[in-house]
Amino acid sequence: MVQATNDAWYFDSGCSRHMTENRSFFSELKECASGHVTFGDGARGRIIAKGNIDKNNLPCLNDVRYVDGLKANLINVSQLCNQGYSVNFSKASCIIVDEDNRVLMSGSRQANNCYHWISNNSDMCHSTKEDQAWLQHRKLGHITLRSIDKAIKNEVVVGIPNIDIKSKFLCGDCLTGKKTKAPHKSLKECSTNSVLELLHLDLMGLMQTESLRGKKYILLLWMIFSDLHGCGS
């Protein structure tokens, strides 16, 4: 069991449910008698109640167990997956995204190899309110929040509501688009067996400057089998 401060949350694939010992975290709480939780050291904690958490600077979670004697606040990975979210772990962090590839929660890997939830004031696991900054970010082709703020102040785009850009969020599509692509591995053997079996064609144009023959398009042809290149305009 992770030993942590009372306000720290950790992603855990071994616990049975989201759980915490801090009663003040809950926005809704219902008494229940549903047994005990066994900790890593063999001790047991009684499940007193269950409810939902939906407060600022806290992860937005449903069906959370209020457990007596628990020393850490745990976010159950299986529960997130059951709700249709994707949980992606990497060497340094973890990201939870919904079906629209929108980042809902994120965490960072600590020195003890535990993934600690990061508060960014924008966790929207179960929120029914659409954040206007996020909405305009998508409508305007995923431009930055700074650009949206400038567009509002300078009134350069018609139809943008006058909103105060204070939101901070991680966009899954933007993160994917910024990934560095690895080069293709070179092949030691030819993948074709005959001439004209595989051709690569690339048409470039319209060029601003004409060729000597007055052309503005270039056609590049590459025959894989014979490694023959050709270029015409």
Side-chain angles (χ1 to χ4, degrees):
M1 178 62 64
V2 178
Q3 299 293 326
T5 59
N6 291 335
D7 58 349
W9 285 84
Y10 292 88
F11 294 95
D12 192 342
S13 59
C15 62
S16 56
R17 294 283 181 176
H18 305 316
M19 56 184 68
T20 179
E21 190 195 26
N22 196 324
R23 191 184 187 96
S24 64
F25 286 168
F26 290 90
S27 53
E28 299 177 19
L29 192 61
K30 182 179 180 181
E31 301 295 330
C32 70
S34 54
H36 296 76
V37 172
T38 302
F39 304 144
D41 58 0
R44 302 179 70 188
R46 185 169 63 91
I47 300 176
I48 302 174
K50 63 179 180 180
N52 302 329
I53 297 177
D54 187 6
K55 293 183 177 181
N56 291 333
N57 298 318
L58 289 174
C60 189
L61 302 169
N62 284 345
D63 198 20
V64 184
R65 296 300 190 268
Y66 174 38
V67 180
D68 182 37
L70 188 65
K71 301 302 181 182
N73 308 304
L74 304 178
I75 301 174
N76 179 245
V77 174
S78 297
Q79 269 186 269
L80 297 176
C81 294
N82 290 339
Q83 292 174 265
Y85 303 134
S86 297
V87 183
N88 304 309
F89 287 91
S90 64
K91 182 178 180 180
S93 63
C94 65
I95 296 177
I96 291 80
V97 298
D98 61 10
E99 295 178 351
D100 296 325
N101 205 30
R102 178 179 176 180
V103 177
L104 302 176
M105 306 172 72
S106 60
S108 63
R109 187 175 180 178
Q110 305 297 300
N112 57 3
N113 290 329
C114 294
Y115 288 83
H116 175 227
W117 170 76
I118 299 175
S119 172
N120 58 9
N121 295 322
S122 64
D123 293 315
M124 301 178 66
C125 290
H126 313 286
S127 177
T128 58
K129 297 181 179 179
E130 184 75 12
D131 183 77
Q132 283 295 322
W134 166 259
L135 182 62
Q136 298 304 323
H137 170 72
R138 289 186 295 172
K139 281 186 174 181
L140 298 175
H142 293 265
I143 65 174
T144 63
L145 293 179
R146 181 180 298 178
S147 298
I148 297 176
D149 191 39
K150 287 183 178 180
I152 294 174
K153 291 180 179 179
N154 298 326
E155 299 181 353
V156 296
V157 179
V158 177
I160 299 182
N162 188 14
I163 55 178
D164 188 12
I165 304 296
K166 292 183 179 179
S167 301
K168 293 182 180 180
F169 53 79
L170 296 173
C171 176
D173 292 326
C174 291
L175 292 176
T176 302
K178 293 177 181 178
K179 289 182 178 179
T180 303
K181 295 182 179 179
H184 293 285
K185 295 182 179 180
S186 58
L187 299 177
K188 297 181 179 180
E189 298 180 358
C190 182
S191 58
T192 59
N193 299 316
S194 62
V195 178
L196 300 179
E197 181 180 347
L198 180 61
L199 298 175
H200 284 294
L201 302 175
D202 190 6
L203 179 63
M204 296 177 287
L206 177 70
M207 302 295 185
Q208 293 183 354
T209 304
E210 295 182 354
S211 67
L212 296 177
R213 296 183 180 181
K215 307 297 183 181
K216 292 189 176 182
Y217 289 90
I218 298 176
L219 177 64
L220 176 65
L221 183 147
W222 178 24
M223 188 183 303
I224 303 298
F225 181 77
S226 60
D227 198 23
L228 177 65
H229 299 74
C231 183
S233 60

